[in-house]
Amino acid sequence: MASVAKRKPGTGGPAARLPETPALAPSILTADFGHLADQIAAAEAGGARLFHLDVMDGHFVPNLTIGPVIVEAIDRLTARPLDVHLMIEQPDRYIERFARAGADMISIHQEAVPHLHRTVQLIRECGAAPGVALNPSTPIGALEEILPDLDYVLLMSVNPGFGGQRFIPSVMAKVAALRQRVDESGEKTWIEVDGGVGPDNIVALRENGADILVAGSAVFDGRDPKERARALAALLERARRR
Ligand code: DX5
Ligand code: ZN
């Protein structure tokens, strides 16, 4: 079903497929993996502009999830861009494999990577859009020098590792501060927010400057993912960035 041909990794340049923003990005972490095709089709029908795929290694975070084989399978299920969030140590070892599997956007954690600039360039060389993720306790100043090289910044609004956690309220001000910094820079860098996003905070997050809103349990909570995604996407469409 994925009709857009992938660019060959190693050719550089902008990523093959990127979403329009503001964008709702369902995270499949809490989806029913026994019925993943149906779950993805439902979220897509409800307005998912991209899919957020959480990769965990049991080292950087205390949980294990999916690898490139599953990313490739999901790529065959949807024509929407795939946003791969690497919560892993030594991501350089796997970036090309995830890009080949169909990742259009790849984020790595500032806290996990000693040579951020090199890793960001590697993501771009592999044909994906590079992003850097920050844990809730990491200040946005940690990205000052790398910001011009990024297509997006992922602000974690929970401590990474698990779906279904509560949004950490102080991240709202962090979103606004990063928005101001990005706007001053004149760059088009997207701001993505991940963790505890739902109907209670998605409008405020957009108003404070978020472009991509990840929602895991707010979409895949066992009930109708199409309706859940539709309601969130509608809130996001109506919200205005301040
Ligand atoms: C947490 C992951 C998130 C998670 C979001 O480590 O990065 O993407 O799936 O799930 P919710 O929306 O339930 O917090
Ligand atoms: Zn994530």
Side-chain angles (χ1 to χ4, degrees), residues 52 54 85 87 194:
H52 180 89
D54 289 303
H85 177 193
M87 286 161 274
D194 181 12

Side-chain angles (χ1 to χ4, degrees), residues 120-234:
V120 164
Q121 302 313 318
L122 176 61
I123 295 171
R124 213 178 271 291
E125 282 163 18
C126 289
V132 171
L134 296 182
N135 284 339
S137 63
T138 305
I140 57 175
L143 298 183
E144 187 60 26
E145 276 69 26
I146 197 76
L147 205 51
D149 297 295
L150 304 182
D151 285 1
Y152 64 109
V153 174
L154 194 173
L155 294 182
M156 289 303 305
S157 38
V158 298
N159 290 296
F162 303 94
Q165 302 181 80
R166 283 168 72 111
F167 181 85
I168 298 172
S170 62
V171 177
M172 193 65 81
K174 196 176 179 183
V175 173
L178 180 59
R179 179 81 266 158
Q180 191 176 350
R181 176 68 191 86
V182 167
D183 288 350
E184 281 166 10
S185 76
E187 306 273 354
K188 295 255 180 283
T189 321
W190 285 324
I191 298 174
E192 178 172 24
V193 180
D194 181 12
V197 174
D200 297 342
N201 54 25
I202 196 165
V203 170
L205 284 166
R206 175 62 180 157
E207 287 173 351
N208 279 283
D211 301 299
I212 301 174
L213 285 303
V214 177
S217 48
V219 172
F220 298 112
D221 68 346
R223 281 173 281 174
D224 188 347
K226 180 175 167 185
E227 251 338 288
R228 301 232 131 200
R230 195 196 298 281
L232 286 171

